[in-house]
């Protein structure tokens, strides 16, 4: 079998061979390089699916969506580090929908291990299995995988391009390639002659790429250092293009209404009021909803709201309480998985004190700042879609099916995302925009959802319940037995994406539940799937978002039952199980000057969660001021293994924490008569600047493998806040959101 380096090298072919689809090495489909989707014009050379050089310089086609997490900046730095260009010499664009941009890291995340205990063999197996993502066209931004996916691929792309450009220069100068150097976008000869890459690109396109070695990290100039964000100038000046900014020539505007009883049918409608409104051009029957095409977005929204629609009932219980009764019933069924079963939880150790608790968390909306939207142009034999999205190849396939086209006839233009959090990994906004555009062939139409439509037609973070039983003895945790019940967002998503029913053990349901890094001798954690049809999907940190609250709130209760300081209790349990996790606890203890004692009017809580390969410890401080409780300070320590850009990691840790604190304090989606009761941000609030804690972040790098950054900051924030409120008030929060139990500052 060819080495991974050789496969990578041959994947990043240069020139005409790559442009016609690459060269097949070996008969097995999985090992073939994916076709290069870039089609250079005259004077341009596609040095890989990721790098194109023309007379203007170097362009990186980033296959991961930029939704504020800094992926464009760090991927550009990975290329620049090996290609010997400065970061400001690289133009970064979103790549097209193409199998070549598959995510190599996502498949490995599904292997049945705890993550922190993965052996070298299991780690290498996960990396090897990543190539399956090519067969599945898994061009997906999610799972905090972007850096794990791009770390070697982008450096290899940069190194291969550099050495091939050097070879082109060597051929021109009649010298050996080893005599040449590179710097700032040019090849430098021994006599000081500089040949810009732009002058060598065409010749480089005719050269078989040489074998290359990646640079020693000790020689890195950019990686490991904070870099200026490449997306900030455009976002600061209003020139960055989000989906809602797209304006093709001749554009019309539309808005949509779908059944508020989610999944219910549309029995009929009367559109006469809308059709008589000046500026309304067409009413579109979507089968399960209606859309209006008009001369501007506001008019389209007003008109579609004027349509009288007879909606059918929802396929799930109509009230919130009845939905949670169904979730609770799942505990009576056999577990879908038991991914941790150490010792014997059925026997209570002699002399141990039993601790039990039950927890409940609500459904949650993604609440992206930019509502769902997409612009589509259908010509009869081609379709173009412009939108922020997290899964362009899936969107391409689904849009093609709706339009009756081959997927090659569908072009996806991925813009900046005004928030993703997993929501823009769904496909509904693209499908609806396609249907609307098909009603007016040859005319581009931008379909924008109202905030109310967006909030009430989400694929929600599922509501969940946990039943916990534990035991402490001599100040130590000796038993933890947990059961979590929820809908399976994985099974729903598989069916939406593929049409096949999902099945088998659902690791996502129990992530953050079975794999917390604590040494407890008797430890069983099971997941139960609730049979419900409320639409659910992947929400920032997914199962970890509720399981972190369950596990770390219960561990706090166990610490108090044992008469122990909550931080020291965790530290003792984690030291022998996972040293990097213990290191995070030690760091926040030092950062916050944790003593286990707080003055009157002040409460502190701690939580540790391991998710997406990264342990994160957080301490949250709350203060009581005139009867109102304010979240005042936060300390975060994470161990990334390798932080490619510390400023990006810090921003993501704070962002994830704020997202989690917002959900813990305010977030809740409820149902009455089958409809979501929350319409807009006044009904679904978030932290504001004056309610956000002053935060300090420390980034550690002792973890054996690189972890993710985008999501791990979210899970510990919710239990840390609840634990702080307990320290302040003596009241234990076992249900979210917390504003129902405590008078939090608004």
């Amino acid at each position: 079998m060819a080495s991974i380096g050789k496969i990578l090298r041959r994947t990043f072919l240069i020139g005409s061979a790559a442009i016609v689809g690459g060269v097949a090495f070996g008969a097995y489909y999985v090992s073939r390089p994916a076709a290069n989707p870039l089609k250079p014009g005259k004077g341009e050379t596609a040095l890989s699916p990721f790098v194109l050089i023309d007379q203007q310089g170097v362009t990186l086609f980033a296959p991961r969506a930029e939704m504020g997490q800094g992926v464009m900046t760090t991927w550009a730095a990975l290329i620049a580090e090996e290609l010997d260009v400065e970061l400001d010499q690289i133009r970064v664009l979103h790549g097209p929908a193409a199998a070549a941009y598959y995510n190599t890291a996502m498949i490995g995340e599904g292997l049945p291990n705890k993550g922190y205990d993965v052996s070298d063999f299991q780690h290498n197996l996960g990396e090897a299995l990543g190539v399956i993502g090519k067969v599945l066209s898994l061009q997906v931004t999610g799972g905090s995988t972007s850096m794990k996916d791009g770390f070697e691929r982008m450096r290899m792309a940069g190194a291969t391009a550099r050495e091939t450009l050097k070879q082109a220069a060597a051929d021109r100068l009649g010298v050996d390639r080893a005599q040449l150097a590179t710097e700032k976008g040019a090849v430098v000869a021994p006599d000081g002659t500089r040949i810009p890459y732009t002058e060598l690109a065409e010749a480089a396109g005719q050269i078989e790429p040489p074998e290359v070695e990646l640079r020693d990290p000790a020689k890195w100039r950019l990686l490991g250092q904070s870099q200026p964000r490449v997306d900030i100038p455009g976002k600061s000046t209003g020139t960055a293009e989000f989906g809602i900014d797209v304006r093709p020539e001749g554009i019309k505007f539309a808005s949509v209404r779908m059944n508020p009883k989610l999944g219910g049918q549309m029995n009929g409608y009367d559109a006469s009021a809308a059709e008589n409104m000046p500026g309304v051009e067409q009413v579109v029957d979507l089968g399960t909803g209606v859309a209006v095409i008009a001369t501007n977005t506001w008019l389209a929204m007003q008109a579609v709201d004027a349509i009288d629609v007879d909606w059918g009932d929802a396929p799930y219980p109509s009230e919130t309480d009845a939905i949670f009764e169904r979730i609770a019933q799942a505990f009576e069924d056999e577990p879908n998985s038991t991914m941790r079963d150490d010792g014997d939880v059925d026997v209570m150790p002699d002399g141990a004190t039993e601790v039990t608790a039950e927890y409940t968390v609500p459904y949650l909306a993604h609440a992206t700042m930019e509502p769902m939207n997409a612009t589509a142009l259908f010509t009869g034999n081609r379709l173009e879609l412009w939108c922020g999205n997290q899964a362009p190849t899936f969107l391409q396939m689904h849009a093609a099916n709706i339009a009756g086209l081959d997927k090659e006839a569908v072009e996806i233009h991925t813009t900046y995302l005004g928030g993703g959090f997993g929501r823009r990994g769904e496909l509904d906004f693209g499908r609806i925009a396609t249907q609307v555009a098909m009603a007016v062939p040859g005319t581009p139409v931008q379909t924008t959802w109202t905030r109310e439509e967006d909030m009430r037609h989400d694929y929600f973070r599922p509501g969940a319940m946990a039943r916990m039983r534990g035991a402490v003895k001599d100040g130590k945790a000796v038993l933890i037995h947990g059961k979590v019940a929820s809908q399976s967002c994985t099974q729903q998503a598989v069916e939406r994406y593929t049409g096949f029913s999902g099945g088998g053990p659902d690791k996502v349901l129990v992530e953050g539940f079975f794999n917390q890094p604590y040494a407890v001798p008797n430890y069983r954690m099971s997941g139960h799937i609730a049979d419900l049809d409320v639409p659910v999907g992947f929400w920032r940190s997914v199962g970890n978002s509720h399981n972190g609250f369950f596990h770390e709130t219960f561990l706090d209760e166990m610490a108090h039952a044992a008469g122990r300081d909550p931080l020291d209790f965790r530290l003792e349990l984690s030291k022998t199980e996972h040293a990097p996790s213990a290191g995070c606890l030690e760091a926040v203890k030092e950062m916050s000057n944790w003593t286990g004692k707080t003055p009157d009017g002040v409460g502190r809580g701690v939580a540790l969660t391991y998710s997406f390969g990264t342990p994160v410890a957080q301490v949250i401080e709350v203060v009581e001021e005139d009867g109102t409780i304010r979240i005042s300070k936060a300390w975060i320590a994470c161990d990334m293994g390798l932080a490619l850009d510390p400023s990006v990691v810090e921003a993501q840790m704070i962002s994830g924490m704020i997202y989690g604190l917002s959900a813990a304090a305010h977030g809740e989606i409820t149902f009455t008569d089958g409809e979501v009761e929350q319409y807009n941000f006044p009904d679904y609030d978030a932290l504001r600047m004056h309610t956000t804690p002053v935060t300090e972040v420390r980034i550690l790098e002792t973890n054996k493998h690189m972890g993710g950054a985008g999501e791990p900051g979210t899970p510990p924030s919710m239990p840390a806040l609840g634990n702080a409120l307990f320290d302040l008030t003596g009241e234990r929060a076992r249900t979210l959101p917390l504003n129902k139990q405590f008078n939090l500052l608004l």
Side-chain angles (χ1 to χ4, degrees), residues 413-428:
H413 305 275
T414 299
T415 63
Y416 283 117
L417 283 65
F421 316 122
R423 178 61 179 93
R424 284 189 160 90
E426 300 292 345
L427 312 172
D428 52 343

Side-chain angles (χ1 to χ4, degrees), residues 364-369 390 418-424 458-461 538-542 545 618 636 651-667 681 684-687 692-693 710-718 721 736:
L364 295 173
H366 292 84
T368 60
M369 190 60 67
Q390 294 175 243
F421 316 122
R423 178 61 179 93
R424 284 189 160 90
D458 203 342
Y459 292 96
F460 302 102
R461 197 288 303 272
F538 302 127
W539 188 91
R540 191 174 192 172
S541 77
V542 206
S545 67
Q618 293 183 13
I636 306 172
Q652 284 302 287
M653 288 297 147
I654 296 174
S655 165
M657 179 197 69
I658 292 172
Y659 199 71
L661 291 177
S662 296
H666 307 290
F681 286 118
Y684 194 89
D685 211 346
L687 292 194
T692 297
E711 296 167 275
T714 298
S717 61
M718 304 185 204
L721 177 57
L736 299 180

